[in-house]
Amino acid sequence: MGSRSSHIALIPDVDHILRETGFSQASLLRLYHRFQALDKDEKGYLSRLDLQQIGALAVNPLGDRIIDSFFPNGSQRVYFAGFARVLAYFRPIDEEDAALRDPKQPEPLNSRMNKLRFAFQLYDLDRDGKISRNEMLQVLRLMVGVQVTDEQLESITDRTVQEADEDGDGAVSFMEFTKSLEKMNIEQKMSIRILK
């Protein structure tokens, strides 16, 4: 294995990544080392296969969909900036940073609204801006596996879509999705403590 330095300045485009993701230098450096460890062939990028080696994703029922989020628009490679950008959605929200945020600046990737957008795209497979009954059924099937019958799963799906679908079009829009999750602590559920 080649030499792997621990100096933050060696990360390509580090200042931009720090601004965009909100990670501390120490956290970004840890992520960079993790990225390098996953890049066993030292290609400078990760493939889907590299990400499938992450144990937590391998056992997550939505692991393949999370991996897909690293590869927008059919790309086959993710470089460190893209890797850090996706992981920034899972960075815990720092209330102090939120209070000091300049409202003229873009909303941080780890904001509640951006976390919800990220979660929504895990369901909206065809990227049409709505979660259809079929898309909801596919996700629920992944999440519950064989623990319920197909009939029970269909009933849960119908009830879930019906409760969230305020305009009666048979699908869940992003705004309906957001409203249906307003009481859920998405900030905590979509945070990984080590990512500060």
Side-chain angles (χ1 to χ4, degrees):
M1 197 182 291
S3 73
R4 308 262 179 161
S5 176
S6 62
H7 197 270
I8 190 89
L10 295 177
I11 298 174
D13 209 13
V14 67
D15 291 331
H16 175 76
I17 296 170
L18 285 167
R19 276 192 312 277
E20 183 181 23
T21 64
F23 284 123
S24 68
Q25 286 189 4
S27 291
L28 195 64
L29 190 57
R30 279 195 308 272
L31 285 177
Y32 189 64
H33 287 304
R34 180 66 171 141
F35 179 88
Q36 288 181 316
L38 290 167
D39 179 17
K40 291 177 178 51
D41 298 330
E42 298 185 27
K43 306 173 300 286
Y45 63 86
L46 300 177
S47 66
R48 289 175 192 280
L49 189 59
D50 295 323
L51 292 175
Q52 289 167 345
Q53 305 310 308
I54 300 172
L57 286 177
V59 298
N60 186 319
L62 296 177
D64 285 338
R65 300 225 176 147
I66 293 169
I67 288 171
D68 287 346
S69 67
F70 285 92
F71 302 94
N73 307 319
S75 65
Q76 298 300 311
R77 299 174 178 179
V78 63
Y79 295 90
F80 180 69
F83 179 76
R85 188 178 308 110
V86 170
L87 291 175
Y89 289 103
F90 297 94
R91 191 172 63 83
I93 294 173
D94 186 338
E95 299 302 326
E96 190 176 303
D97 285 350
L100 299 173
R101 188 175 80 78
D102 180 351
K104 294 177 193 138
Q105 294 297 316
E107 197 169 7
L109 293 174
N110 70 327
S111 71
R112 176 179 177 80
M113 195 56 73
N114 280 331
K115 285 177 184 281
L116 286 168
R117 278 187 192 96
F118 185 88
F120 184 82
Q121 60 93 26
L122 294 178
Y123 289 80
D124 183 18
L125 297 178
D126 62 8
R127 304 287 184 255
D128 68 349
K130 294 191 176 261
I131 301 169
S132 68
R133 179 190 179 283
N134 188 46
E135 289 169 326
M136 181 70 72
L137 181 62
Q138 286 180 40
V139 171
L140 292 176
R141 186 168 280 129
L142 287 172
M143 292 170 68
V144 299
V146 294
Q147 298 173 18
V148 297
T149 66
D150 282 345
E151 187 177 289
Q152 290 170 318
L153 194 57
E154 300 249 352
S155 176
I156 292 167
T157 301
D158 290 339
R159 198 169 43 243
T160 303
V161 171
Q162 186 177 19
E163 286 175 13
D165 180 21
E166 292 185 342
D167 63 9
D169 66 352
V172 180
S173 69
F174 177 68
M175 291 316 295
E176 291 167 336
F177 181 79
T178 300
K179 189 169 183 185
S180 71
L181 295 175
E182 67 188 356
K183 291 184 174 88
M184 181 180 281
N185 185 350
I186 201 80
E187 292 89 344
Q188 189 237 346
K189 297 221 180 275
M190 282 189 65
S191 290
I192 303 172
R193 277 190 308 248
I194 61 164
L195 299 177
K196 292 204 178 193

